[in-house]
Amino acid sequence: MEVLAAAKTVRCQTLTSFLNWAQHKLIQAEVASPRLDAEVLMAVTLNITRTELITYPARVLSQVEEENFCSKVERRVLREPVCHITGVQEFWSLKFSVNEKVLTPRPETEILVEQCLKALAKNSSPLKILDLGTGSGILAITLAKEIPQSQVTAIEKSVLEVAKNNALRHAVADRIRFMSADMMKADWQGLYHLIVSNPPYLESEELSECMPEVRQYEPVLALDGGRDGLDYYRFIIPRALAQLEEGGLLAFEIGHTQAATVVTLMESCLDYHDIQVVQDYCGYDRVVLARKRTLNG
Ligand code: GLN
């Protein structure tokens, strides 16, 4: 193992010296958060928390720990995402299993959960929710957890094991119906109070410009929204009207340049109203919500 050999030649023995060495390797590999990543990988190797690392700066690593840590660093040097190396990503303060077959949960998707909860606050339970393109299951699962009486349907055409395991892990599997199907072809089965989706929304040509972590390790299927990135919105917006309860909510994550077009697509359906665009914490347009009109307007 080339990286391990290099680590040994610089006589890295203590936890601190290994961390400094890893940070240096990750800076050379142009990783965005080298120290943080080194610490996360060390904490996972030693099965302790990141804060506990400072308690043992002079701890000497065993041979097995050394090899384990160096192989993780080696993977990160090749720009494999930290969450694929650890197998876990936090979202909404919950831990989710992830792998290369599902989109990595991103912090900005929490805005979508927040906005759905805010918009549904006045509805009385039980609520029926549809999550289109569930991936690791973060939307279906956090909404099921936050809205105790809810019944969620989660559609995904790629793998469902990851989402199913996450639902078990968070004790909501009994309230989520998983459907292995292409949302563009399947029957969505029922009427819903909320239809939510973080669909693939990158322009096909943008994919090659993404960071190596995304380009090389995340599933194209979860990212590619067609030539202009809008294929899924064009399909879901008119179709959702037939599957929403009166007054029901449609909520999307969007790419930050897509708000105007998505709003226009909704406006052109006439049966949507109360259309809102919400920004993420970086100030980018990130979520669009609309309600289906009730019979009396
Ligand atoms: N936000 C993701 C990215 O920019 C894209 C997620 C998606 O297509 N739903 O990499």
Side-chain angles (χ1 to χ4, degrees):
M1 206 185 322
E2 199 186 310
V3 177
L4 179 59
K8 287 193 165 152
T9 60
V10 292
R11 294 187 180 281
C12 293
Q13 276 153 2
T14 64
L15 188 152
T16 303
S17 56
F18 263 105
L19 277 178
N20 291 342
W21 163 80
Q23 180 180 5
H24 177 69
K25 295 302 288 182
L26 297 179
I27 290 171
Q28 284 179 331
E30 298 179 17
V31 164
S33 46
R35 185 70 190 187
L36 172 68
D37 291 6
E39 288 180 3
V40 170
L41 296 178
M42 181 62 87
V44 166
T45 304
L46 302 181
N47 198 19
I48 58 176
T49 63
R50 242 183 85 222
T51 19
E52 282 173 312
L53 289 177
I54 39 172
T55 326
Y56 313 107
R59 185 184 189 290
V60 176
L61 268 62
S62 71
Q63 172 95 21
V64 173
E65 288 166 347
E66 261 183 40
E67 283 176 13
N68 194 334
F69 179 65
C70 291
S71 86
K72 288 180 166 56
V73 173
E74 189 165 358
R75 288 169 69 181
R76 189 68 190 109
V77 163
L78 296 173
R79 305 294 293 269
E80 186 170 347
V82 173
C83 66
H84 288 184
I85 303 170
T86 63
V88 180
Q89 177 71 30
E90 213 170 279
F91 179 83
W92 201 257
S93 300
L94 300 169
K95 286 193 165 64
F96 287 88
S97 300
V98 292
N99 63 25
E100 70 292 344
K101 296 186 177 135
V102 296
L103 183 78
T104 298
R106 287 148 165 76
E108 56 270 29
T109 306
E110 293 183 348
I111 311 283
L112 180 55
V113 175
E114 232 169 67
Q115 290 302 317
C116 290
L117 294 177
K118 194 170 142 208
L120 292 172
K122 291 197 196 98
N123 289 58
S124 53
S125 302
L127 294 184
K128 282 178 284 151
I129 297 171
L130 173 64
D131 175 20
L132 294 170
T134 203
S136 62
I138 53 167
L139 291 171
I141 291 163
T142 50
L143 290 166
K145 266 191 98 69
E146 291 292 333
I147 311 173
Q149 306 288 316
S150 55
Q151 294 289 337
V152 183
T153 299
I155 301 184
E156 173 59 58
K157 83 168 159 193
S158 176
V159 295
L160 269 175
E161 305 106 79
V162 180
K164 284 182 180 169
N165 284 338
N166 282 322
L168 287 170
R169 179 178 191 148
H170 295 297
V172 289
D174 57 332
R175 286 190 291 113
I176 304 182
R177 167 174 65 158
F178 288 101
M179 279 172 59
S180 176
D182 179 347
M183 71 167 97
M184 298 224 189
K185 296 186 184 136
D187 176 357
W188 293 357
Q189 295 186 9
L191 281 181
Y192 299 92
H193 299 94
L194 166 65
I195 296 179
V196 65
S197 186
N198 173 16
Y201 59 66
L202 298 186
E203 295 172 22
S204 303
E205 287 198 354
E206 263 181 288
L207 288 168
S208 59
E209 292 155 25
C210 290
M211 297 186 308
E213 283 84 348
V214 177
R215 197 174 69 227
Q216 294 170 11
Y217 294 96
E218 290 204 58
V220 173
L221 193 68
L223 295 163
D224 186 352
R227 197 183 45 79
D228 63 358
L230 295 161
D231 282 3
Y232 287 84
Y233 305 107
R234 265 193 294 268
F235 177 79
I236 295 170
I237 290 170
R239 168 76 195 276
L241 280 172
Q243 313 260 175
L244 278 169
E245 297 276 2
E246 278 181 39
L249 186 73
L250 175 62
F252 285 125
E253 179 170 322
I254 56 156
H256 67 98
T257 59
Q258 295 170 331
T261 321
V262 172
V263 168
T264 306
L265 287 168
M266 286 171 162
E267 284 170 346
S268 68
C269 282
L270 302 179
D271 276 336
Y272 288 110
H273 74 136
D274 209 0
I275 302 170
Q276 281 181 63
V277 178
V278 181
Q279 284 78 39
D280 62 21
Y281 294 122
C282 298
Y284 292 119
D285 291 338
R286 189 59 63 195
V287 167
V288 180
L289 306 115
R291 284 205 183 265
K292 179 178 164 177
R293 287 185 198 281
T294 53
L295 276 182
N296 51 14

